[in-house]
Amino acid sequence: MKDSVLIVGAGPVGLALALALKGSGLTPTLVDARPAGSENEDQRVLALAHGSRQTLEKLGAWPKTGWTPIEAIHVSQRGGLGRTEIRATEQGLPALGYVCPAATLTRCLAARAAGEGILVEQNCFIESSTANADHITALARDGREFDAQLLACCEGGTGSQETGLIRHDYAQHALIGIVTAQSPHQGVAYERFTPEGPLALLPFGGDFALVWTMSAEEAQRRLALADRAFLAELQNAFGTRARFLAVSGRTSFALALQARLNPVSERKAFLGNAAQTLHPVAGQGFNLALRDVWTLAETLAGAADPGEASLLARYAQARRLDRFSTVGFTDSLVRLFSNDDPLLRHLRGAGLFALDLFAPARKFIARRMIYGARAWP
C-alpha cells in the first residue's frame, strides 16, 4: 500500500509539513535517521517571524511557553555612522518575531503529530530512491522499503556533486552561545554589522542568544579564549549599548549559501535545508522553509496524486519569487556589510540614516522579513 507522501526528516520542517498535509487530506509518513528523543540534543535557537507564528498556530503547534518576543530590532554598523530601529508597535504587531529553542518547537510539533496519528519511523536512513510512473520507492540503509506518490526531502543539505545549485562559500563561521548582560534586554534584538561579519544578539529568556560571524581562524581562536577575554572582544565589537557579564555554550559552524534552482524533481520536493541553506543574517532560514511548507500543502490539497509533475511545477513556480528574493536579500546583506570599504561604509551609514527617517521604508523591510514576498504589492 502506498502512502500519499513520504517525508524524510522529522525535524521541525518535516513535522510541520506532515501536519499541513494531514490537514489537506493526504496521508503523510515520516522517516528520520536519528533515534527517538534526539530533538532534545538540538542546541539551535530559532528566530521565528510573526508570520511563522501565525502558520504554526494554524497547525495547532505553537508552543505555549519557552519563547521570547522580539519587540524591536536595532540595526547599526561598527566604525561608521547610521543606525535604525524597527519596532513592533510601529507595525501594529505584538512582536516582530520570537526566539525559541529548536528542541522546544520540535517537541511541540511532534506531540501535535502524534495526536493526529502521524507515524514516525526512527533510525531510518534513506539511501536511495527510484521514481516510477505512479509512485516513488525509497530504500533505507537497513533494507526497509517505502512506496509513496511523493517523496518530500526535509533534512540534509545538497550533495557536493549535484548540479542546478546556487553556491557561495562565505569563508565565515558563526560563533554561537548564550550571553548574560548587565541590564534587561527589554525585548530588543541587535543586528550589528562589522567588517568581519554580522553580529546578532537575540533576546532569549533573560539573556541573549549570540550569533557572531567571523573567519574560521578567528572562530577557533575565540572559542579557545577564557570567558573574560572572550567577553572583552565581544564588548569591543558590539559597543556600549549593552554590558556583558557572562557567556556559556560557545560553539561554531561554517557558513555557506546553497540553494536549488528548482526545488522539485520527478516525484520529489525539497524543503528546508534540502532546498536552501542561507546565511543566518536576518534569521530567514526557517521562516522561508515554513512558507515553503504551507504553499506545498495548499498546492497539493485534495490531490489524487500529489506527485504529479504539473502540481510540483505549480508549487515551484509559486515559490520562485519568495525563495530567490530571500536568497538575494540575505546574500546581499552579507556582501554589502561584511567589509571595511570606506565608500561602502559611508553609503551604508547614509542608507541606515535614511531608513531611520523614512517610516514607510522601515515598514516595508519589516513586513518583508515577517511575511516574505507576501508583503510585496
Side-chain angles (χ1 to χ4, degrees):
M1 178 181 174
K2 295 191 294 289
D3 294 307
S4 296
V5 183
L6 178 66
I7 300 172
V8 179
V13 176
L15 287 164
L17 178 61
L19 287 169
L21 291 174
K22 184 80 172 182
S24 300
L26 299 171
T27 307
T29 294
L30 277 156
V31 298
D32 197 281
R34 300 165 300 179
S38 58
E39 69 276 1
N40 296 317
E41 301 172 7
D42 192 341
Q43 299 301 309
R44 291 177 301 161
V45 174
L46 299 177
L48 306 171
H50 183 70
S52 292
R53 173 176 179 164
Q54 292 175 319
T55 299
L56 291 165
E57 285 177 334
K58 291 176 183 176
L59 298 176
W62 178 249
K64 293 182 179 179
T65 60
W67 43 266
T68 306
I70 299 174
E71 298 173 14
I73 301 174
H74 187 283
V75 185
S76 63
Q77 64 169 339
R78 183 186 179 194
L81 299 176
R83 44 80 68 197
T84 192
E85 189 167 278
I86 301 172
R87 294 198 152 272
T89 52
E90 188 178 50
Q91 310 305 320
L93 297 172
L96 296 170
Y98 307 85
V99 183
C100 181
T104 298
L105 179 59
T106 303
R107 284 193 294 267
C108 184
L109 285 160
R112 177 65 175 161
E116 290 292 326
I118 297 172
L119 176 67
V120 180
E121 296 272 357
Q122 305 284 170
N123 298 299
C124 185
F125 185 90
I126 299 297
E127 284 195 317
S128 62
S129 63
T130 304
N132 300 284
D134 64 347
H135 71 282
I136 186 167
T137 300
L139 179 63
R141 181 175 290 170
D142 61 8
R144 280 179 282 180
E145 282 192 6
F146 300 86
D147 283 335
Q149 294 170 300
L150 173 66
L151 179 64
C153 303
C154 293
E155 284 192 4
T158 55
S160 60
Q161 304 303 315
E162 290 190 58
T163 59
L165 302 173
I166 300 171
R167 283 198 180 99
H168 179 70
D169 183 356
Y170 291 111
Q172 291 179 331
H173 273 54
L175 192 158
I176 62 175
I178 304 300
V179 178
T180 301
Q182 187 175 55
S183 302
H185 53 62
Q186 298 181 323
V188 179
Y190 295 93
E191 187 81 61
R192 184 159 173 81
F193 293 99
T194 77
E196 43 180 4
L199 190 169
L201 286 164
L202 309 175
F204 183 58
D207 299 317
F208 284 107
L210 169 69
V211 184
W212 188 5
T213 56
M214 61 195 70
S215 69
E217 294 75 19
E218 279 298 285
Q220 291 306 306
R221 184 184 69 80
R222 285 171 172 149
L223 285 174
L225 291 174
D227 287 356
R228 185 173 180 179
F230 176 83
L231 289 171
E233 294 199 13
L234 174 62
Q235 194 75 68
N236 183 57
F238 180 76
T240 59
R241 290 186 177 89
R243 292 291 180 184
F244 305 123
L245 304 177
V247 61
S248 62
R250 279 181 282 165
T251 188
S252 70
F253 54 90
L255 298 176
L257 166 65
Q258 289 197 129
R260 293 179 185 272
L261 293 172
N262 189 351
V264 301
S265 62
E266 189 177 9
R267 293 200 171 272
K268 279 186 180 180
F270 299 89
L271 303 97
N273 285 338
Q276 62 265 323
T277 302
L278 308 182
H279 194 286
V281 66
Q284 290 296 295
F286 180 73
N287 298 295
L288 176 60
L290 204 53
R291 296 197 294 270
D292 290 343
V293 162
W294 192 256
T295 303
L296 181 61
E298 285 188 321
T299 304
L300 303 182
D305 180 0
E308 185 184 344
S310 62
L311 281 176
L312 296 181
R314 189 191 309 167
Y315 160 73
Q317 181 59 35
R319 293 302 302 143
R320 183 175 179 81
L321 175 61
D322 191 20
R323 288 186 69 239
F324 287 109
S325 61
T326 302
V327 167
F329 175 66
T330 57
D331 187 52
S332 296
L333 281 178
V334 178
R335 293 173 186 265
L336 289 173
F337 282 87
S338 295
N339 61 74
D340 203 24
D341 183 285
L343 176 60
L344 285 179
R345 185 168 65 246
H346 290 304
L347 290 174
R348 292 191 300 258
L352 288 172
F353 182 71
L355 192 62
D356 198 50
L357 292 177
F358 194 45
R362 290 197 306 278
K363 183 174 182 178
F364 173 80
I365 293 293
R367 291 183 63 82
R368 178 63 187 80
M369 291 191 297
I370 293 168
Y371 300 113
R374 285 191 292 146
W376 293 3

